[in-house]
């Protein structure tokens, strides 16, 4: 039974990662990493550059997991109803956040200045904070699912959420890495390709944001 619960929790995390709003956010944020590539080209990138990209690609998932686990502990173990109220309020911010990310992606195509290289001493990127908002907004649903799987055992439910978060970190970090890496490989040869990608992921994010806003105000 424990082994099946372990596998189910990890798979739920992977499935949760690929919800449309998550994919849209990570896709928009991953295109920012193109500016952090070594301008000499893919052939000259060493292992250190790839590890840096993997680290940056994990920021959204780490932010998501941090708030999800923290607020799940408050809700499930400390019985904090205030945490659920906060999560409900934050959920209303997801729509506007997605629209804002979409606009940022499209605006990149009209930027006249050369993109700045991210400072080496910056530990976390914008992805981390966006991930935190998504994680907090999904606290209520995650807790309900975890309690169902755990047969209402709060401690087991917390561990289920921890395992789900591990699945989210693994799957979304991999997605963000390969998305950014692929964009970098193509964009260094054809700048127009990156312009098209910015339009696509920006439009996708705006549509997801508008849909989320619409659903938020349905009663």
């Amino acid at each position: 039974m424990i082994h099946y619960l372990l596998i189910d929790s990890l798979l739920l995390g992977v499935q949760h990662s690929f919800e449309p709003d998550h994919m849209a956010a990570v896709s928009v944020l991953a295109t920012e990493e193109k500016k952090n590539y070594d301008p000499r080209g893919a052939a000259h990138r060493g292992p250190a550059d790839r590890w840096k990209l993997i680290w940056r690609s994990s920021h959204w998932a780490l932010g998501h997991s941090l708030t999800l686990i923290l607020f799940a502990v408050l809700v499930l173990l400390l019985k904090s109803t205030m945490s659920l109220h906060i999560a409900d309020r934050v959920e209303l911010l997801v729509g506007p956040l997605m629209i804002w990310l979409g606009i940022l992606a499209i605006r990149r195509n009209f930027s006249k200045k050369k993109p700045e290289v991210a400072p080496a001493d910056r530990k976390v990127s914008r992805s981390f904070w966006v991930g935190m908002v998504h994680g907090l907004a999904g606290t209520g649903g995650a807790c309900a699912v975890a309690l169902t799987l755990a047969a209402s055992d709060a401690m087991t439910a917390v561990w289920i959420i921890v395992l789900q978060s591990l699945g989210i970190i693994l799957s979304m970090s991999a997605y963000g890495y390969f998305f950014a890496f692929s964009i970098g490989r193509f964009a260094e040869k054809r700048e127009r390709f990156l312009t098209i990608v910015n339009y696509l992921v920006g439009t996708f994010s705006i549509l997801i944001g508008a849909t989320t806003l619409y659903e938020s105000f349905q009663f």
Side-chain angles (χ1 to χ4, degrees):
M1 177 65 179
I2 297 297
H3 295 296
Y4 289 120
L5 196 58
L6 169 67
I7 295 172
D8 282 346
S9 300
L10 287 171
L11 291 179
L12 276 173
V14 173
Q15 180 185 26
H16 179 71
S17 297
F18 292 100
E19 290 185 356
D21 58 330
H22 297 167
M23 289 191 67
V26 173
S27 297
V28 169
L29 295 163
T31 56
E32 291 184 330
E33 303 306 334
K34 184 262 176 185
K35 65 175 176 284
N36 294 311
Y37 274 88
D38 187 339
R40 294 174 297 171
H44 297 276
R45 294 175 196 137
D49 295 321
R50 289 187 171 86
W51 279 114
K52 287 179 182 178
L53 181 57
I54 291 172
W55 167 243
R56 288 193 298 268
S57 300
S58 70
H59 286 181
W60 180 92
L62 291 173
H64 185 287
S65 299
L66 176 64
T67 51
L68 183 59
I69 293 173
L70 175 61
F71 276 79
V73 168
L74 292 175
V75 171
L76 297 172
L77 298 184
L78 302 181
K79 310 300 181 184
S80 171
T81 57
M82 183 180 72
S83 299
L84 289 177
H85 292 316
I86 294 174
D88 289 340
R89 298 295 181 271
V90 172
E91 194 169 1
L92 296 176
L93 299 177
V94 172
L97 175 63
M98 298 305 301
I99 294 173
W100 174 68
L101 287 175
I103 293 172
L104 282 182
I106 294 174
R107 281 184 60 190
R108 291 182 204 138
N109 293 335
F110 300 94
S111 178
K112 300 300 182 182
K113 64 179 181 178
K114 187 177 180 180
E116 297 178 359
V117 177
D121 59 347
R122 190 174 67 177
K123 302 302 181 183
V124 295
S125 65
R126 193 191 337 249
S127 301
F128 182 82
W129 310 112
V130 173
M132 288 185 70
V133 172
H134 274 119
L136 181 52
T139 297
C143 289
V145 171
L147 278 174
T148 300
L149 289 174
S152 298
D153 178 13
M155 181 59 73
T156 303
V158 169
W159 280 109
I160 287 173
I161 288 179
V162 170
L163 291 171
Q164 285 182 17
S165 297
L166 178 60
I168 291 170
I169 290 172
L170 293 174
S171 57
M172 270 336 244
S173 296
Y175 172 75
Y177 170 78
F178 285 112
F179 191 92
F181 183 78
S182 299
I183 292 299
R185 287 289 293 264
F186 283 103
E188 68 187 15
K189 297 178 180 179
R190 190 172 297 178
E191 194 69 25
R192 182 170 177 80
F193 176 79
L194 183 61
T195 300
I196 294 173
V197 170
N198 281 332
Y199 277 124
L200 289 176
V201 297
T203 302
F204 180 41
S205 185
I206 291 172
L207 287 175
I208 293 298
T211 302
T212 304
L213 265 180
Y214 175 77
E215 292 176 348
S216 298
F217 290 102
Q218 295 302 301
F219 296 96

